[in-house]
Coordinates of all heavy atoms in Angstrom, one line a residue:
S55 N -10.5 -2.1 -26.3 CA -11.1 -0.8 -26.5 C -10.8 0.2 -25.4 O -11.1 1.3 -25.5 CB -12.6 -1.0 -26.7 OG -12.9 -1.9 -27.8
N224 N -14.4 -4.2 -33.0 CA -14.3 -3.2 -32.0 C -12.9 -2.6 -31.9 O -12.0 -3.2 -32.5 CB -14.7 -3.7 -30.6 CG -13.7 -4.8 -30.2 OD1 -13.6 -5.8 -30.8 ND2 -13.0 -4.4 -29.1
G225 N -12.7 -1.5 -31.2 CA -11.4 -1.0 -31.0 C -11.4 0.3 -30.3 O -12.4 0.9 -30.1
P226 N -10.2 0.8 -29.8 CA -10.1 2.0 -29.0 C -10.1 3.3 -29.8 O -9.9 3.3 -31.0 CB -8.8 1.8 -28.3 CG -7.9 1.1 -29.3 CD -8.9 0.2 -30.1
G227 N -10.3 4.4 -29.1 CA -10.1 5.7 -29.6 C -11.2 6.2 -30.6 O -12.3 5.7 -30.7
C252 N -19.2 -2.2 -32.7 CA -18.8 -1.0 -31.9 C -17.9 -0.1 -32.8 O -18.5 0.6 -33.6 CB -18.1 -1.5 -30.6 SG -18.2 -0.3 -29.3
L253 N -16.6 0.0 -32.6 CA -15.8 0.8 -33.6 C -16.1 0.4 -35.0 O -16.1 1.2 -35.9 CB -14.3 0.7 -33.3 CG -13.5 1.6 -34.1 CD1 -12.8 2.7 -33.3 CD2 -12.4 0.8 -34.8
Q256 N -19.0 2.2 -36.3 CA -18.7 3.6 -36.5 C -17.9 3.8 -37.8 O -18.1 4.7 -38.6 CB -17.9 4.1 -35.3 CG -18.6 4.1 -34.0 CD -17.8 4.2 -32.8 OE1 -16.5 4.2 -32.9 NE2 -18.4 4.2 -31.6
N294 N -19.4 -0.5 -24.4 CA -18.2 0.1 -24.1 C -17.8 1.1 -25.2 O -17.0 0.7 -26.1 CB -17.0 -0.9 -23.8 CG -15.7 -0.3 -23.8 OD1 -15.6 1.0 -23.6 ND2 -14.6 -1.0 -24.0
H295 N -18.4 2.2 -25.2 CA -18.0 3.2 -26.2 C -18.2 4.6 -25.8 O -19.0 4.9 -24.9 CB -18.8 2.9 -27.5 CG -20.3 3.1 -27.4 ND1 -20.9 4.2 -28.0 CD2 -21.2 2.4 -26.8 CE1 -22.2 4.1 -27.8 NE2 -22.4 3.0 -27.1
G296 N -17.4 5.5 -26.4 CA -17.4 6.9 -26.1 C -17.8 7.8 -27.3 O -17.9 9.0 -27.2
Y297 N -17.9 7.1 -28.4 CA -18.3 7.8 -29.7 C -19.6 7.1 -30.1 O -19.9 6.0 -29.7 CB -17.3 7.6 -30.8 CG -16.0 8.4 -30.5 CD1 -15.0 7.8 -29.6 CD2 -15.7 9.7 -31.0 CE1 -13.9 8.5 -29.3 CE2 -14.6 10.4 -30.7 CZ -13.6 9.8 -29.9 OH -12.5 10.5 -29.6
H333 N -22.0 -4.9 -27.9 CA -21.2 -6.1 -28.0 C -22.0 -7.4 -27.9 O -22.2 -7.9 -26.9 CB -20.1 -6.1 -26.9 CG -19.1 -5.0 -27.1 ND1 -18.0 -5.2 -27.9 CD2 -19.0 -3.8 -26.7 CE1 -17.3 -4.1 -28.0 NE2 -17.9 -3.2 -27.2
Ligands
LIG2 N1 -15.7 -0.9 -27.9 C1 -15.4 -0.1 -29.0 O1 -15.2 -0.6 -30.1 C2 -15.3 1.3 -28.8 C3 -15.3 2.2 -30.0 C4 -14.8 3.6 -29.9 N2 -13.4 3.5 -29.5 C5 -15.6 4.3 -28.9 O2 -15.1 4.6 -27.8 O3 -16.7 4.7 -29.2

Side-chain angles (χ1 to χ4, degrees):
S55 299
N224 64 294
C252 211
L253 182 111
Q256 299 161 356
N294 165 20
H295 63 109
Y297 292 82
H333 290 274

